[in-house]
Amino acid sequence: MRDWVTFPDGTRGRRSWDADPQRSGAWQRRLAQAWGGDERPVCDCRHQGQAMGLSVHRCLRQRDGRQVEVYHLARLRNQGALHHVACSFHEADPRCDGRGGYVEGVVRERDDGRIGVTLCRGLRCLDVAAAPADPAQAARQGGGQGAARQARMTELGLLHLLWEEAGLNGWTPRLGRARRHWPVVREALDRAALRIVPARNQILSDRLAMIGYADDDGPALLRETARNCGDTWRILLLGIVDDIALVNWKDGPPFCALHFDGAGAYNLRVSAASVWHERVARRYPMAMAALALPRAERAIRVVGLVTATVRVGLDRGAALVRCRADDIALMEVEPDTLTPVSSSHELAIARALVEQRRSFIRPLRFDAGREAVLPDFVLTDTSDPRGTPMEVFGRADEAYAARRAEKARYYDEVYGQARWWHWDAVASPGRWPDFPPVSPQRSGDGDA
């Protein structure tokens, strides 16, 4: 992935250095020098012959019990689709992305470079979830071609937005084993949450706590976020889910218990009404099937985003964080790269792309209906500046035939025949066509 940035004084650096412990301090100082200046940093992309400018933002974050200034870069408003598909500042055109499944204004770029969103359930504890949009009304509000658009973003849509803004739906060989370390993932998600504004004077990162193994700062950050939420605000919990179980408690009614990987170090308890066990099993069958297996036998990992009310108490003298879930969203990911997948066939392709040292992104659906045509993957290291779409056809029934033909027509019209890749996983199980070649100028790593 391309992430080089040139500063007004001519010096250059990489956006990924912000997650490098040895370079993050120097990177933050460089951003601080550029903040508020008359000239903007630029990336290596060009539009109509001009360099693509970037915006430097400053915010205050709690670190080790004190407030510190943190700086980050953002693309300029409405310019995301103008960046090269391999650029870390690229944003897919909403017409080719799951964000296009919302009514206009549900996801909006603000003048300050942040992203405003309208959530189905507000973060104040008094807010209740909005009723689902009437399909006919949503279509009249701009769905286009009769497609129903959502008037609010659900927890699953918010999880997809966080994953996409954090760049976790993309992969490049240069990342290596970085995503096996939860603190790296947490920092990327926190930077994404700093840009998301769910309501006036709110920043999503103030309500978001992330749970993961071997994260020395994680437990303290959870307790701090929980105390700041108090009785007024809901907390958002995000992490790798280890188990979702129905618990028959002898001293009361049954309830649903959710356990995150590493939650023991956080002294965290997450519960929900018993009905949630059936709900998540119905909504996310692939995820629940994986969680039913022993850890060593799971082919995927499951990411969870939980919206909950929170209480902080004491358990044998230690702080205990108790959360009661209002909603649970799950997402299946490839274990090492955390790339989202939705079938065993997609999982096989994701692994093959990593083994062949390819660079790619996984478009996310958000809350868009199944009628939206989104590729399963997009190669970002080919000669096509838009990227090369990849489609896995995993069914052969008559009902799916029309859908497959619709997708083929779309890719032929938009990209041209023979300029997109596909695999008929039913006709050729376990044997897929060769992937499109890497562009000679890209050398596989995407940094040229």
Side-chain angles (χ1 to χ4, degrees):
M1 182 170 287
R2 304 195 316 194
D3 66 346
W4 284 100
V5 175
T6 302
F7 290 88
D9 62 0
T11 60
R12 282 169 62 79
R14 304 190 73 154
R15 192 185 188 189
S16 56
W17 288 355
D18 202 23
D20 184 339
Q22 296 181 341
R23 288 173 163 169
S24 59
W27 174 255
Q28 282 291 311
R29 289 191 292 273
R30 195 169 293 181
L31 292 179
Q33 293 170 356
W35 179 72
D38 295 332
E39 296 184 68
R40 297 184 182 276
V42 298
C43 69
D44 287 349
C45 298
R46 304 188 74 84
H47 176 62
Q48 296 181 346
Q50 299 296 317
M52 301 287 289
L54 303 168
S55 179
V56 182
H57 297 284
R58 184 188 69 168
C59 63
L60 297 176
R61 303 297 293 150
Q62 289 288 333
R63 292 290 185 270
D64 299 324
R66 60 188 181 90
Q67 279 196 334
V68 297
E69 293 179 343
V70 177
Y71 297 84
H72 64 277
L73 285 169
R75 56 184 171 263
L76 298 183
R77 186 180 183 185
N78 298 325
Q79 291 194 1
L82 301 180
H83 288 268
H84 192 281
V85 69
C87 178
S88 65
F89 297 99
H90 173 79
E91 179 186 50
D93 188 323
R95 294 169 296 181
C96 308
D97 180 83
R99 302 186 195 204
Y102 297 110
V103 173
E104 184 177 354
V106 174
V107 184
R108 54 202 178 275
E109 289 198 48
R110 293 160 42 112
D111 290 337
D112 60 6
R114 294 176 177 171
I115 302 171
V117 296
T118 303
L119 299 177
C120 182
R121 177 184 287 99
L123 295 183
R124 286 188 179 274
C125 291
L126 295 178
D127 294 337
V128 297
D134 174 67
Q137 179 183 5
R140 289 194 297 271
Q141 288 178 300
Q145 300 179 353
R149 293 191 178 187
Q150 300 297 315
R152 292 176 181 268
M153 177 179 284
T154 68
E155 274 77 359
L156 180 61
L158 182 58
L159 176 55
H160 284 189
L161 178 64
L162 278 164
W163 219 249
E164 187 175 273
E165 286 299 314
L168 297 173
N169 68 320
W171 179 257
T172 182
R174 182 171 47 79
L175 291 171
R177 301 166 65 90
R179 290 184 186 167
R180 293 189 179 187
H181 304 286
W182 182 255
V184 174
V185 177
R186 173 174 58 78
E187 286 290 342
L189 288 165
D190 186 56
R191 288 194 298 272
L194 284 169
R195 296 191 59 230
I196 299 174
V197 181
R200 182 178 297 178
N201 299 324
Q202 291 187 35
I203 299 174
L204 192 69
S205 61
D206 291 340
R207 310 296 168 215
L208 178 65
M210 287 157 283
I211 319 300
Y213 275 121
D215 187 351
D216 293 339
D217 294 329
L221 291 172
L222 167 64
R223 293 191 294 270
E224 179 183 341
T225 302
R227 291 190 176 105
N228 289 338
C229 288
D231 296 331
T232 304
W233 300 97
R234 290 185 174 92
I235 192 171
L236 295 168
L237 304 172
L238 195 160
I240 305 296
V241 177
D242 183 51
D243 183 46
I244 300 178
L246 188 62
V247 179
N248 292 307
W249 190 28
K250 64 180 180 179
D251 295 328
F255 64 93
C256 179
L258 184 148
H259 300 98
F260 288 102
D261 280 1
Y266 294 73
N267 213 9
L268 169 68
R269 307 288 187 272
V270 182
S271 64
S274 59
V275 68
W276 274 102
H277 191 269
E278 178 185 351
R279 287 180 181 174
V280 294
R282 184 174 62 252
R283 292 180 183 177
Y284 311 103
M286 181 180 177
M288 292 297 283
L291 293 178
L293 298 172
R295 287 184 185 174
E297 298 178 17
R298 297 174 186 174
I300 61 170
R301 302 179 83 182
V302 177
V303 176
L305 178 67
V306 177
T307 305
T309 54
V310 61
R311 296 288 186 274
V312 181
L314 289 176
D315 178 26
R316 300 176 183 177
L320 173 64
V321 181
R322 294 185 181 274
C323 294
R324 184 69 172 178
D326 290 319
D327 209 327
I328 300 170
L330 303 179
M331 179 176 67
E332 304 87 352
V333 298
E334 195 279 328
D336 292 329
T337 65
L338 303 186
T339 305
V341 296
S342 59
S343 72
S344 59
H345 302 309
E346 292 179 12
L347 178 62
I349 295 303
R351 287 177 169 170
L353 289 172
V354 173
E355 290 173 0
Q356 296 188 27
R357 300 187 58 79
R358 301 303 300 268
S359 298
F360 62 94
I361 58 175
R362 159 69 183 215
L364 298 178
R365 187 165 290 275
F366 292 76
D367 294 310
R370 305 307 301 179
E371 69 281 349
V373 178
L374 299 177
D376 295 313
F377 302 98
V378 176
L379 284 171
T380 60
D381 55 9
T382 64
S383 57
D384 193 325
R386 301 170 297 175
T388 300
M390 308 180 73
E391 190 71 45
V392 178
F393 296 118
R395 292 167 49 188
D397 54 279
E398 184 176 346
Y400 187 70
R403 175 65 171 163
R404 174 172 174 167
E406 177 188 9
K407 288 186 173 183
R409 284 195 300 271
Y410 171 83
Y411 293 127
D412 285 345
E413 292 174 0
V414 174
Y415 292 89
Q417 292 185 356
R419 295 190 64 84
W420 59 284
W421 180 94
H422 67 277
W423 170 38
D424 188 333
V426 176
S428 302
R431 302 188 307 275
W432 47 81
D434 292 339
F435 298 140
V438 177
S439 168
Q441 289 77 30
R442 300 300 305 283
S443 69
D445 195 7
D447 295 328

